[in-house]
């Protein structure tokens, strides 16, 4: 293919006028306390930490650091609410509270979107069009399950577990909070939730929404802090269920630490999804799918399509188109509506990604990066692809959690499948082909919990999500997501 | 009659079952099974870690083919197991009574085991319809969730129910396309070995069920820690063992299914939820367009 003749010159004359989202309607307090028993309360030991805007490195707010004493208080408040008003309430009424949360989130959607982008670095387009609407949709979906649980588990009586301890990551702060809180409440549990230390603000804003919705005190408690706070929740004797989303390493540690406690648990862990492109795929669409698969949310996605498997006969063509397309991606201010790729979530994460870039080169791979400029301040990583990698390379095997794609080729369907499945992970996968029978052959045989065929990175509250193998235990979303929050009695 | 020697009974050599074959344990070790009077009934294979690893290799090799067999065929084969067991009722009852179970209780247990196999045979082509879903997503996609086998499942069978407890864990595991490696009851192992012979005669592909005998205390950790096992079912573990199993299972995020205090003779001890316990939910998306 002669791409040279059609090559667009992006190095000049293609300046986009800035289109920044306004922040004037957003209220971020100087300091946030813990949300326990329906009130904002200061941490027992008086510790605080800063949350910064990764695009500017400027401090946004000071957030309470919860210690064991605070976690004890939060769990006690959740227990009291569980034994008290929440378990005595009719299921339909319980559902109405969850509907209220959904509605208030929709009303305040723009405020939440902007804060999500400020605190986490993700493009406003994504927080506005994906994160916040989906978070509201999760509450809306699960609200309706509250009074219908007997239909979810035929032949069994479903009973709430009690207090759910929930620890969520920084890549989709409000959405992950919704994934965790909505089904827990619908099933009649109360919760203690810890957002990630780099992205606590929308969870604290959600606490305001919960107050506004008038939920009984203690039904939802939100405590902020880092790993130690999370461990205090997970290991608390009076927590009945642990829900965790994060790395496989931490998931493994959680499984070990709660061993023998009888606590139920769900784990949504890492991934290294293969995005498999067959020669007969609609290649321009496939390239869009590759871009969406790995560059969505800066690649901070556990189900990101971080391994590209291209059928050999079209590999050069696809890689050329991909490199062209990468050049058009705009990296920069997350609040600019033109931005495709925002800031890396934290300095620490940027360091981790950069160490993998060095490693990939050291392993002998060829690295290609977009030639785009990035702002001087803040944490940035240009979209990056590695070619010439082999199956055993660490950049092929390990989760990088950044905009870094490793490209391999295959000849036959069997080879593609075997490479796709050669991983400890099994969260997601992508298949691109025009042939229906091949889609089914592939989607049936890729060992992963979510398979996108001729699309990628789609989410919906009605749709179960979760991993095979070391990508986790259990499902979130849909009817299947209820099971984790119920005891089924015969 | 003094000149006519009585016929000497032929004692059965109880072996283990790996990959559709009946080897003795590679360890060469055994434990003696005694009756209530302290008389040795049989020398039972004391399986080793190596036996377990061999069994996992066999289970892994057999699993994809078994999972891709049609639900109809899997149902037929489970029904066939029930037929074979029914045909050998007297042997199982006799073995059970030798191990100290009363005749009436033994008869009931064997009959219940046959019925349980038929129960799960019937689920083979039905559980998918109960637990699958077409998900009404808001975007223009067709999206559905189906169950798939988890893979290789290790099973620490119930100690106090040598046949029914064993069958009640194997049947829901394999009906959904998993293969398994099972450790039989340590104190009631005879039926397990004979059940392997039933499986062998029932068109169950070699390797789909592998049955070991031996010491639970010696093997439980292996059942939980092996990196090519996807799920471990642990029946009636004491607290320390249960905790140890979960710790070891964490290394490859194995699914841990604890089945404690279940009265296997009750109807509620048979359920499609036992099938679902060892299934993964896979969600597939495709755009809807022209």
């Amino acid at each position: 293919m002669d791409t040279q003749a059609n090559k667009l010159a992006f190095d000049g004359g293609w300046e986009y006028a800035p289109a920044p989202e306004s922040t004037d309607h957003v209220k971020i307090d100087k300091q946030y306390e813990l949300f326990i028993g329906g009130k904002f309360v200061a941490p027992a030991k008086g510790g605080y930490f800063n949350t910064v805007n990764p695009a500017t490195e400027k401090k946004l707010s000071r957030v309470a650091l919860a210690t064991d004493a605070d976690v004890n208080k939060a769990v006690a408040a959740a227990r009291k609410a569980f034994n008290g008003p929440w378990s005595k309430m009719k299921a339909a009424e319980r559902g109405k509270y969850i509907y209220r949360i959904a509605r208030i989130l929709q009303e305040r959607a723009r405020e939440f979107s902007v804060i999500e982008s400020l605190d986490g670095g993700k493009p406003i387009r994504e927080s506005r069009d994906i994160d916040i609407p989906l978070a509201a949709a999760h509450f809306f979906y699960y609200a309706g399950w509250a009074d219908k649980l007997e239909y979810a588990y035929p032949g069994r009586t479903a009973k709430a577990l009690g207090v759910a301890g929930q620890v969520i990551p920084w890549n989709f702060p409000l959405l992950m909070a919704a994934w965790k809180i909505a089904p827990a409440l619908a099933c009649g549990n109360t919760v203690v939730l810890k957002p990630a230390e780099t992205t606590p603000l929308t969870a604290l804003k959600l606490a305001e929404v919960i107050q506004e919705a008038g939920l009984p005190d203690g039904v939802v408690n939100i405590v902020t802090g880092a790993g130690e706070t999370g461990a205090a929740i997970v290991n608390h004797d009076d927590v009945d269920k642990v829900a965790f989303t994060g790395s496989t390493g931490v998931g493994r540690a959680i499984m070990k630490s709660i061993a023998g406690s009888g606590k139920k648990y769900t784990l949504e862990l890492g991934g290294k999804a293969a995005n498999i492109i067959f020669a007969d795929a609609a290649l321009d669409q496939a390239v869009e799918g590759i871009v969406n698969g790995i560059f969505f949310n800066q690649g901070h996605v556990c189900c990101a399509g971080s391994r590209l498997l291209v059928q050999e006969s079209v590999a050069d063509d696809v890689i050329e188109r991909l490199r062209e397309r990468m050049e058009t991606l705009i990296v920069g201010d997350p609040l600019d509506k033109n931005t495709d790729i925002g800031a890396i979530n934290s300095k620490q994460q940027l360091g981790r990604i950069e160490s993998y870039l060095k490693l990939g080169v050291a392993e002998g791979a060829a690295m290609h990066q977009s030639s785009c400029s990035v702002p001087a301040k803040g944490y940035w990583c240009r979209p990056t692809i590695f070619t010439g990698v082999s199956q055993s390379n660490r950049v092929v095997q390990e989760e990088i959690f950044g905009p870094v794609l490793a490209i391999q080729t295959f000849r036959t369907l069997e080879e593609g499948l075997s490479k796709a499945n050669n991983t400890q992970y099994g969260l997601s996968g992508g298949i691109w082909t025009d042939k229906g029978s091949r889609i089914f052959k592939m989607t049936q045989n890729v060992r992963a919990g979510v398979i996108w065929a001729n699309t990628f990175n789609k989410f919906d509250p009605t749709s179960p999500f979760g991993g095979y193998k070391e990508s986790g235990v259990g499902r979130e979303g849909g009817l299947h997501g209820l099971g984790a929050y119920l005891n089924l009695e015969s | 009659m003094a000149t006519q020697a009585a016929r000497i009974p032929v004692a059965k050599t109880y072996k283990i079952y790996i990959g559709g074959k009946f080897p003795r344990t590679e360890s060469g070790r055994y434990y003696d099974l005694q009756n209530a009077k302290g008389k040795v009934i049989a020398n039972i294979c004391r399986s080793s870690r190596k036996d377990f690893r061999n069994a996992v290799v066999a289970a892994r090799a057999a699993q994809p083919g078994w999972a891709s067999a049609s639900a109809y065929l899997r149902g037929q084969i489970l029904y066939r197991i029930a037929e074979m067991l029914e045909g050998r009722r007297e042997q199982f009852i006799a073995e059970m009574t030798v191990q100290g179970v009363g005749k009436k209780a033994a008869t009931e247990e064997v009959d219940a085991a046959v019925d349980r196999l038929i129960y799960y045979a019937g689920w083979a082509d039905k559980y998918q319809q109960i637990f699958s879903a077409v998900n009404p997503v808001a975007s223009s996609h067709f999206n559905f969730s189906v169950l798939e086998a988890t893979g290789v499942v290790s099973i620490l069978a119930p100690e106090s129910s040598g046949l029914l407890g064993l069958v009640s864990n194997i049947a829901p595991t394999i009906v959904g396309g998993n293969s398994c490696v099972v450790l039989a009851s340590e104190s009631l192992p005879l039926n397990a070995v004979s059940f392997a012979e039933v499986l062998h005669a029932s068109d169950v592909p070699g390797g789909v069920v592998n049955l070991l005998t031996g010491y639970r205390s010696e093997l439980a950790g292996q059942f939980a820690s092996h990196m090519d096992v996807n799920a471990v079912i642990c029946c009636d573990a004491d607290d320390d063992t249960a905790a140890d199993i979960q710790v070891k299972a964490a290394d490859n995020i194995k699914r841990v299914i604890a089945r404690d205090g279940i009265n296997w003779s009750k109807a509620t001890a048979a359920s499609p939820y036992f099938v679902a316990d060892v299934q993964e939910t896979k969600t597939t998306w495709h755009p809807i367009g022209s």
Side-chain angles (χ1 to χ4, degrees):
Chain A
M1 185 182 141
D2 181 16
T3 52
Q4 212 55 40
N6 300 321
K7 203 157 194 165
L8 299 170
F10 291 103
D11 47 350
W14 277 88
E15 297 283 321
Y16 283 85
E21 176 66 44
S22 162
T23 57
D24 63 355
H25 60 301
V26 168
K27 289 191 289 286
I28 299 176
D29 296 341
K30 283 210 166 68
Q31 179 172 308
Y32 282 94
E33 310 297 348
L34 306 169
F35 184 63
I36 296 174
K39 290 168 199 67
F40 286 96
V41 295
K45 289 204 174 144
Y48 290 86
F49 60 97
N50 292 336
T51 185
V52 301
N53 180 343
T56 61
E57 302 179 43
K58 279 188 191 143
K59 173 179 155 186
L60 288 166
S61 184
R62 221 164 80 102
V63 178
L65 178 66
T67 54
D68 289 4
D70 303 304
V71 170
N72 287 342
K73 257 173 78 180
V75 173
R79 177 62 60 191
K80 193 173 161 210
F82 177 75
N83 291 337
W86 200 239
S87 58
K88 296 191 178 79
M89 191 179 294
K90 276 190 186 157
E93 304 301 309
R94 205 167 70 219
K96 284 189 201 167
Y97 281 112
I98 310 171
Y99 278 124
R100 280 190 190 171
I101 298 172
R103 273 299 198 228
I104 297 169
L105 275 179
Q106 288 173 326
E107 287 167 1
R108 295 174 60 172
R110 191 55 64 99
E111 178 192 10
F112 273 87
S113 306
V114 171
I115 295 176
E116 203 72 307
S117 286
L118 285 171
D119 203 18
K122 62 175 63 202
I124 184 73
R125 244 186 22 223
E126 290 177 5
S127 49
R128 182 194 65 197
D129 297 348
I130 296 165
D131 291 58
I132 309 305
L134 266 181
H138 268 272
F139 281 107
F140 203 86
Y141 172 75
Y142 276 111
W145 267 120
D147 57 354
K148 301 171 190 68
L149 295 175
E150 69 265 34
Y151 296 97
Y153 297 96
R156 288 287 186 273
T157 307
K159 294 260 169 65
L161 301 173
V163 177
Q166 309 180 317
V167 178
I168 58 170
W170 44 259
N171 56 343
F172 294 92
L174 185 72
L175 183 57
M176 290 299 107
W179 277 31
K180 296 281 184 288
I181 294 173
L185 298 189
C187 293
N189 304 281
T190 57
V191 307
V192 176
L193 174 110
K194 187 196 86 70
E197 66 270 28
T198 60
T199 56
L201 292 182
T202 44
L204 293 162
K205 280 277 165 186
L206 179 64
E208 292 175 12
V209 169
I210 283 159
Q211 273 187 327
E212 199 179 326
L215 261 75
D217 292 346
V219 169
V220 176
N221 304 275
I222 296 174
V223 294
T224 39
E228 282 186 20
T229 310
I233 295 172
V234 164
N235 294 321
H236 197 290
D237 285 343
D238 206 26
V239 162
D240 301 293
K241 189 244 151 62
V242 171
F244 172 75
T245 296
S247 72
T248 293
V250 177
R252 194 174 281 135
I254 288 175
M255 251 182 103
K256 290 185 179 183
S257 77
I258 62 174
S261 68
K263 286 174 192 170
K264 277 194 121 174
Y265 55 92
T266 39
L267 306 169
E268 296 292 351
L269 309 176
K272 193 78 186 177
N275 206 357
I276 307 165
I277 318 289
F278 283 92
D280 69 339
L283 292 187
D284 281 331
Q285 286 174 31
V287 166
E288 287 309 302
I290 296 164
V291 166
N292 182 37
I294 186 59
F295 301 130
F296 174 59
N297 201 35
Q298 296 73 248
H300 302 330
V301 186
C302 48
C303 51
S306 52
R307 288 186 294 149
L308 178 63
L309 296 174
V310 195
Q311 198 154 25
E312 200 175 88
S313 59
V314 292
D316 291 345
D317 186 2
V318 167
I319 292 167
E320 184 57 32
R321 290 187 206 214
L322 180 60
R323 289 177 67 168
E324 284 270 297
R325 179 68 178 90
M326 269 169 52
E327 284 295 317
T328 70
L329 294 172
I330 301 169
V331 182
D333 181 6
L335 285 188
D336 191 322
K337 282 169 257 182
N338 292 318
T339 294
D340 297 303
I341 296 179
I344 298 301
N345 184 266
S346 64
K347 190 175 183 180
Q348 186 194 13
Q349 183 59 22
L350 180 60
R352 183 181 153 81
I353 296 167
E354 284 174 343
S355 72
Y356 271 109
L357 297 184
K358 285 201 191 89
L359 182 67
V361 173
E363 283 177 324
M367 184 170 86
H368 315 269
Q369 286 190 310
S370 158
S371 62
C372 63
S373 61
V374 297
K377 270 269 182 196
Y379 315 128
W380 310 96
C381 180
R382 291 186 180 86
T384 304
I385 58 177
F386 279 116
T387 56
V389 295
S390 65
Q391 193 68 30
S392 60
N393 284 173
R394 281 178 62 194
V395 292
V396 170
Q397 289 292 331
E398 296 176 19
E399 186 177 42
I400 298 173
F401 229 65
V404 182
L405 179 68
I407 304 180
Q408 297 169 272
T409 61
F410 66 95
R411 289 187 180 182
T412 62
L413 180 146
E414 288 72 23
E415 186 192 353
L417 256 182
S418 114
K419 280 183 172 164
N421 284 333
N422 184 344
T423 167
Q424 83 213 65
Y425 296 114
L427 187 51
S428 65
I431 319 290
W432 298 81
T433 171
D434 211 21
K435 192 171 173 185
S437 61
R438 187 180 291 142
I439 289 175
F440 283 114
K441 173 83 176 173
M442 293 299 289
T443 55
Q444 282 186 357
N445 287 291
V446 171
R447 300 280 296 156
V450 183
I451 311 285
W452 290 288
N454 292 322
T455 184
F456 210 95
N457 269 344
K458 297 287 180 249
F459 307 93
D460 192 276
T462 67
S463 181
F465 180 94
Y468 284 33
K469 299 197 276 187
E470 293 183 34
S471 285
V473 178
R475 294 293 176 271
E476 293 184 291
L479 177 158
H480 300 76
L482 295 167
Y485 289 96
L486 293 167
N487 270 328
L488 301 182
E489 295 172 5
S490 52
Chain B
M1 301 296 282
T3 53
Q4 189 77 22
R7 179 179 178 276
I8 306 290
V10 179
K12 177 169 170 178
T13 301
Y14 283 89
K15 299 191 184 181
I16 55 178
Y17 185 51
I18 297 175
K21 294 192 167 64
F22 291 90
R24 297 266 313 155
T25 169
E26 71 81 37
S27 72
R29 300 175 305 174
Y30 72 101
Y31 68 99
D32 56 8
L33 186 69
Q34 301 177 356
N35 67 12
K37 291 176 185 156
K39 183 178 180 303
V40 173
I41 309 164
N43 294 317
I44 302 295
C45 288
R46 190 177 143 195
S47 302
S48 63
R49 287 192 294 183
K50 176 74 167 120
D51 292 320
F52 177 71
R53 289 202 299 269
N54 290 344
V56 172
V57 169
R60 176 60 67 196
Q63 196 268 329
W66 177 240
S68 64
S70 70
Y72 181 56
L73 179 63
R74 279 185 273 128
Q76 293 269 304
I77 290 177
L78 260 86
Y79 189 84
R80 182 73 180 157
I81 304 173
E83 286 181 340
M84 291 290 114
L85 184 56
E86 176 81 20
R88 293 169 67 166
R89 281 173 82 247
E90 297 307 323
Q91 178 199 347
F92 279 83
I93 293 166
E95 273 176 348
M96 233 180 259
T97 52
V98 166
Q99 292 174 129
V101 180
K103 180 78 188 285
K104 181 165 176 288
T107 307
E108 283 170 4
E109 185 172 340
V110 174
D111 290 349
V114 173
D115 293 353
R116 190 134 303 167
L117 284 161
I118 292 175
Y119 174 83
Y120 283 111
W123 271 119
D125 47 12
K126 297 170 191 70
Y127 72 87
Q128 187 73 260
Q129 288 177 312
I130 303 290
F131 295 116
S132 291
V134 174
N135 311 308
V137 297
S139 54
S140 178
H141 292 90
F142 181 56
N143 168 306
F144 56 93
S145 297
V146 296
L147 298 194
E148 284 184 354
T150 302
V152 175
V153 180
S154 61
I155 302 175
L156 295 158
E159 187 54 36
S160 58
S161 179
L163 179 65
L164 183 57
L166 182 83
V167 166
S168 299
N169 282 281
I170 292 175
T173 299
I174 63 170
V175 76
N178 295 289
S179 60
C180 60
V181 181
V182 191
L183 182 64
S185 165
E186 193 174 309
S187 56
L188 301 169
L190 297 188
N191 277 169
V193 180
S194 296
F195 186 66
E197 296 161 13
V198 166
L199 293 167
H200 197 64
S202 306
D203 304 322
V204 180
V208 169
V209 181
N210 304 275
L211 267 160
L212 306 181
T213 53
Y215 292 166
R216 183 189 269 228
S217 58
E218 189 178 15
L219 290 167
Q222 303 299 318
F223 273 58
S225 64
H226 196 294
M227 292 297 272
D228 201 31
V229 171
N230 302 95
V232 53
I233 295 173
C234 180
C235 298
D236 300 325
D238 59 61
D239 290 351
D240 287 347
T241 309
D244 185 54
I245 283 174
Q246 191 174 325
V247 167
K248 294 196 164 100
D251 282 333
N252 69 337
I253 319 287
K254 220 174 253 101
R255 283 76 175 118
V256 181
I257 298 136
R259 291 184 179 150
D260 300 319
I262 295 173
N263 180 347
W264 295 103
S265 63
K266 288 178 76 171
T268 51
S271 152
Y273 294 103
F274 286 119
V275 180
D277 281 347
V278 276
Q279 297 284 304
E280 298 286 347
T281 304
K282 173 183 277 182
T283 303
T284 304
W285 294 66
H286 197 280
I288 297 171
S290 57

